[in-house]
């Protein structure tokens, strides 16, 4: 019998084999392995894993469906919250998010939520499962700038709500950092990224590539001349940072962005492409984040001996532990507590070596990490012929400098409200790296969802009116269709016990075998906003489940919501829709 305290091992290419190719390292679970891993989930009453997910995927519900072998249902559950599950399952830092909060991980290893998400998304792709489009458009146009994770997520969510969405991408290929920033061996482009983008297109989203906002056109022109009623800026942070040390302008000094773009987007690693890249025989990568690991592992596959030069210790490495582990397995050398002082060049401007100095950790800095301090007299040279700087990125100021009334902070990031993406300019929203600086794919996706919600609320407040309708709620539901809707709605949803406050509770179950007395399905137009008043008491927003004097409201399921009551009640519903 398998040890339930340990994850089901995931298959990978052997280190010596994968170090010589650009094929995907992790091979993922098959169906039997996924179901076995899903069975490790203990179905917590208070699922902490969901609290760790920036896009609020109903993790217990989809894991339960995987356990039962219902892979299509699992995909439908994930798709309600995530537009890019095959990508998130591969590159998101689950160990510090959903898996980091998994209760199973307290006494053993957490459930491999990321690997299960990847399996479900891959299964859906291989079996032709497509996302559900909006039944009709609402006639309102929204522009999204950037086709990275924030832009794709925002566009997908808005398209599901019936908006006419166009994504404007500066490069010749859609995908943003997913295409140019993350190597093929971590995130396959044809098999995964382009297929995920196709699913966004199938929702009705249009793409225009080779459009540089701020040069080709401006945000003001999009809104004033082309009829877009709202704009979401998800342009990322593609402007690289450098150290400013002597020799940094040498011929073979790259930013990690340029190096990875040449390889990932322009396919310089392939013999059948003419894109030039300085492969180098001895390469130093300066930095310790995920981008540094990507650049180092790419250089290794191009035939170099690779050193990662990082000024703090291994404990402070910001890269994912999995990426550091893979890099070490593949033979990359880590020069820790080491910092560059100078890049040495010959008379032709070519690199001959890099002078570095040893560091030690002092008192914590503003970030909470111990500040690295130079050890006097510890300088030495590392023999290298190529240096890749991976020190972080900031947003390109082109958009902010050409958009009147758009506020930025001292780091040139756009100032936007976290909960809805609203910027200082009316009708303009922003999220992802353009707001926060370089961060993770999943955080950018969370910002994209917030931006979509903010745009929807903004346009409905501007154009929609509320109208009143009444429901007389009593008795039981017998409709098979509604029974299935309720079952899906409550799958993995645990009602908090409020006995002291209201004197009763609903059964604490994962699936309702029968309807409780007094359940009713309230049907509203698709995409509606609704607020209810029961017995002329205070308003309750039905988008969030709530309790009031023995009445429970359950969130929307498709085109309506469920209500439970101990007694016959009159429900006045104010509905707002297009």
């Amino acid at each position: 019998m398998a040890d339930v305290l340990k994850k089901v091992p995931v298959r990978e290419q052997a280190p010596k084999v994968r170090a010589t190719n650009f094929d995907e390292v992790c091979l993922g679970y098959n169906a039997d392995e996924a179901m076995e891993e899903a069975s490790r989930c203990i179905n917590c009453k208070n699922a902490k894993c969901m609290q760790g997910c920036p896009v609020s995927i109903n993790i217990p519900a989809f894991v339960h469906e995987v356990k039962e072998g219902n892979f299509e249902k699992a995909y439908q559950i994930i798709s309600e919250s995530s537009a890019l599950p095959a990508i998130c399952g591969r590159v998101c830092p689950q160990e510090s998010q959903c898996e980091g909060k998994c209760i199973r991980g307290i006494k053993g290893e957490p459930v491999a939520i990321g690997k299960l998400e990847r399996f479900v998304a891959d299964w859906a792709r291989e079996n032709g499962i497509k996302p559900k489009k909006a039944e009709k458009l609402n006639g309102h146009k929204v522009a999204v700038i950037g086709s990275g994770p924030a832009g794709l997520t925002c566009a997908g969510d808005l398209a599901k709500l019936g908006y006419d969405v166009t994504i404007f991408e500066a490069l010749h290929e859609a995908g943003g950092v997913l295409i140019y920033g993350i190597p093929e061996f971590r995130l396959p482009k044809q098999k995964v990224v382009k297929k995920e983008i196709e699913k966004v297109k199938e929702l009705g989203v249009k793409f225009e590539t080779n459009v540089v906002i701020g040069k080709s056109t401006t945000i003001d022109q999009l809104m004033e001349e082309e009829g877009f009623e709202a704009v979401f800026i998800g342009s990322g942070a593609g402007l690289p940072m450098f150290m400013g040390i002597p020799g940094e302008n040498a011929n073979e000094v790259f930013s990690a962005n340029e190096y990875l773009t040449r390889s990932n987007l322009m396919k310089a690693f392939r013999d059948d492409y003419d894109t030039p890249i300085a492969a180098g025989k001895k390469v130093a990568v300066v930095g310790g984040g995920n981008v540094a690991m990507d650049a180092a592992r790419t250089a290794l596959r191009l035939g170099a001996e690779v050193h990662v030069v990082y000024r703090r210790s291994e404990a402070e490495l910001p890269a994912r532990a999995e990426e550091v582990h893979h890099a070490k397995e593949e033979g990359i050398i880590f020069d820790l507590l080491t910092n560059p002082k100078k890049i040495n060049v010959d008379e032709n401007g070519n690199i001959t070596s890099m002078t570095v100095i040893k560091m030690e950790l002092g008192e914590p800095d503003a970030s909470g990490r111990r500040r690295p301090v130079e050890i006097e007299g510890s300088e030495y040279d590392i023999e290298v012929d190529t240096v890749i700087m991976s020190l972080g990125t900031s947003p390109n100021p082109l958009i902010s400098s050409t958009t009147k009334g758009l506020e930025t902070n001292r780091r040139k990031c756009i100032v936007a409200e976290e909960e809805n993406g609203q910027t200082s300019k009316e009708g303009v929203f922003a999220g992802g790296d353009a707001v926060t600086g370089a961060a993770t794919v999943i955080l950018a996706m969370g910002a994209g969802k917030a931006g979509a919600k903010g745009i929807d609320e903004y346009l409905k407040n501007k154009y929609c009116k509320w109208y009143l309708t009444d429901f007389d709620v009593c008795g039981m539901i017998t409709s098979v269709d509604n029974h299935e809707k309720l079952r899906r709605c409550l799958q993995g949803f645990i009602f908090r016990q409020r006995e002291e406050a209201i004197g009763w509770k609903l059964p604490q179950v994962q699936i309702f075998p029968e309807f409780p007395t007094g359940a009713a399905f309230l049907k509203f137009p698709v995409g509606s906003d609704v607020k209810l008043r029961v017995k002329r008491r205070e308003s309750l927003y039905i988008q969030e489940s709530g309790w009031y004097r023995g009445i429970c409201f359950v969130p929307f399921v498709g085109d309506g919501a469920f209500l439970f009551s101990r007694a016959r009640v009159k429900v006045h519903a104010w509905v707002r829709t297009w």
Side-chain angles (χ1 to χ4, degrees):
M1 182 177 177
D3 185 352
V4 296
L5 297 181
K6 292 185 178 180
K7 292 180 180 179
V8 174
V10 66
R11 292 163 291 120
E12 296 177 345
Q13 284 195 75
K16 289 184 179 179
V17 175
R18 69 183 189 236
T20 63
N21 65 57
F22 279 80
D23 296 336
E24 189 170 14
V25 170
C26 180
L27 304 178
Y29 286 144
N30 59 32
D32 291 337
E33 291 167 340
M35 291 170 69
E36 182 180 349
E37 179 61 22
S39 69
R40 296 180 61 239
C41 178
I42 57 177
N43 298 310
C44 310
K45 288 186 176 180
N46 183 15
K48 299 283 187 182
C49 54
M50 289 183 64
Q51 299 173 19
C53 179
V55 296
S56 302
I57 292 173
N58 190 340
I59 295 169
F62 102 74
V63 171
H64 172 81
E65 296 296 353
V66 173
K67 175 186 172 182
E68 298 298 319
N70 300 325
F71 304 140
E72 184 172 352
K73 283 188 179 179
Y75 177 72
Q76 291 169 352
I77 292 167
I78 294 173
S79 297
E80 291 171 3
S81 304
S82 174
L84 309 169
I87 292 169
C88 288
R90 284 170 165 82
V91 303
C92 288
Q94 293 96 4
E95 65 275 6
S96 62
Q97 295 176 340
C98 53
E99 292 181 20
K101 294 184 178 294
C102 177
I103 300 300
R104 170 61 82 187
I106 295 174
K107 293 182 179 180
E109 296 177 349
V111 175
I113 298 168
K115 297 294 188 291
L116 292 177
E117 180 182 17
R118 168 190 165 152
F119 165 77
V120 170
D122 288 353
W123 182 92
R125 182 185 69 247
E126 292 162 4
N127 287 272
I129 308 301
K130 298 184 182 296
K132 294 180 180 178
K133 292 180 63 173
E135 292 182 5
K136 62 178 181 179
L137 293 177
N138 58 34
H140 296 269
K141 290 175 64 177
V142 178
V144 173
I145 301 172
S147 62
L152 290 172
T153 300
C154 181
D157 281 10
L158 288 171
K160 290 175 184 177
L161 294 172
Y163 289 93
D164 180 1
V165 185
T166 302
I167 292 179
F168 295 93
E169 169 56 48
L171 296 175
H172 63 279
E173 201 167 318
V177 70
L178 305 172
I179 284 286
Y180 73 76
I182 303 175
E184 190 80 13
F185 54 81
R186 278 219 295 143
L187 185 62
K189 305 299 175 277
Q190 292 290 339
K191 186 177 79 171
V192 177
V193 178
K194 290 188 177 181
K195 295 295 184 182
E196 294 283 70
I197 292 171
E198 282 300 318
K199 289 187 176 181
V200 176
K201 289 181 179 179
E202 287 167 0
L203 292 171
V205 176
K206 297 185 286 290
F207 286 75
E208 290 194 23
T209 56
N210 296 310
V211 179
V212 181
I213 301 299
K215 280 199 170 183
S216 306
T217 187
T218 66
I219 286 177
D220 291 321
Q221 288 174 320
L222 289 176
M223 300 184 78
E224 294 169 8
E225 299 174 14
E226 298 192 36
F228 289 98
E229 297 162 89
V231 174
F232 177 81
I233 304 171
S235 51
L239 191 64
M241 299 178 183
F242 289 91
M243 294 186 71
I245 60 175
E248 210 168 22
N249 291 323
N251 294 336
E252 293 85 14
V253 176
F254 292 85
S255 71
N257 263 29
E258 179 189 353
Y259 191 80
L260 289 170
T261 299
R262 284 174 180 265
S263 178
N264 300 333
L265 178 65
M266 306 301 293
K267 303 292 188 266
F269 69 91
R270 287 174 50 171
D271 294 335
D272 55 338
Y273 275 71
D274 294 330
T275 305
I277 192 167
K281 293 181 179 179
K282 290 190 176 181
V283 176
V285 178
V286 182
N290 288 323
V291 176
M293 297 304 117
D294 288 342
R297 296 173 70 195
T298 296
L300 180 82
R301 284 160 170 77
L302 291 173
E305 175 190 297
V306 183
H307 293 249
V308 169
V309 179
Y310 180 60
R311 62 182 183 157
R312 288 184 165 95
S313 71
E314 183 169 349
E316 284 80 30
L317 278 169
R320 292 184 67 189
E322 181 181 44
E323 301 308 316
V324 175
H325 171 69
H326 282 158
K328 286 183 173 181
E329 279 190 329
E330 292 165 7
I332 288 170
I333 301 162
F334 283 75
D335 296 323
L336 303 173
L337 289 168
T338 304
N339 204 40
K341 295 286 286 183
K342 181 175 65 170
I343 296 170
N344 305 306
V345 299
D346 61 19
E347 63 276 8
N348 297 316
N350 298 317
I351 297 174
T352 58
S353 64
M354 183 169 69
T355 301
V356 298
I357 188 168
K358 298 298 292 182
M359 313 289 284
E360 61 183 358
L361 296 179
E363 296 300 314
D365 61 15
S367 70
R369 297 185 297 174
R370 294 172 65 190
R371 185 187 302 275
V373 180
E374 293 183 355
I375 300 175
E376 189 175 349
S378 64
E379 293 93 339
Y380 67 97
D381 288 349
I382 299 176
E383 184 183 342
V384 295
D385 57 18
T386 306
V387 175
I388 302 171
M389 293 293 182
S390 181
L391 306 170
T393 55
S394 62
N396 190 312
L398 183 60
I399 289 177
S400 57
S401 64
T402 57
T403 306
K404 294 176 291 186
L406 189 63
E407 183 184 351
T408 59
N409 60 24
R410 61 180 180 81
R411 297 185 296 128
K412 304 301 181 184
C413 294
I414 298 169
V415 176
E417 296 180 20
E418 184 177 351
E419 63 274 13
N420 60 16
Q422 176 68 61
T423 69
S424 56
K425 185 177 179 68
E426 184 181 352
V428 177
F429 297 74
D433 292 1
V435 171
T436 62
T440 63
V441 167
I442 191 67
L443 289 176
M445 289 177 61
K449 290 187 75 66
K453 183 178 179 181
I455 289 171
D456 182 50
E457 183 65 23
Y458 165 73
L459 291 176
K460 281 181 176 174
N461 283 339
K462 190 172 182 179
Y463 296 112
C464 293
K465 293 182 179 180
W466 294 95
Y467 65 91
L468 179 64
T469 184
D470 288 348
F471 294 89
D472 196 10
V473 178
C474 185
M476 298 181 66
I477 306 174
T478 57
S479 165
V480 174
D481 179 53
N482 285 340
H483 185 287
E484 175 60 18
K485 286 182 179 179
L486 179 59
R487 192 197 68 77
R488 290 201 311 269
C489 177
L490 298 177
Q491 180 70 46
F493 187 95
I494 302 297
F495 290 97
R496 297 181 182 277
Q497 296 187 21
R498 295 284 300 278
E499 291 177 272
E500 294 181 4
I502 64 172
W504 76 300
K505 65 182 180 184
L506 288 172
Q508 299 277 330
V509 295
Q510 291 291 319
I511 303 175
F512 267 82
E514 297 177 357
F515 282 101
T517 301
F521 182 71
L522 313 183
K523 186 174 178 62
F524 304 110
V526 175
S528 300
D529 290 333
V530 180
K531 56 183 180 180
L532 302 179
R533 189 170 299 220
V534 180
K535 296 183 179 178
R536 301 190 180 277
R537 300 282 184 173
E538 64 186 77
S539 296
L540 290 170
Y541 285 91
I542 203 167
Q543 281 90 336
E544 298 181 3
S545 59
W547 298 90
Y548 181 75
R549 294 182 181 272
I551 302 167
C552 173
F553 300 101
V554 181
F556 270 109
V557 187
D559 57 353
F562 286 98
L563 179 145
F564 302 91
S565 175
R566 292 181 297 179
R568 189 183 190 97
V569 293
K570 191 78 168 180
V571 179
H572 304 286
W574 279 265
V575 181
R576 181 179 66 176
T577 191
W578 295 111

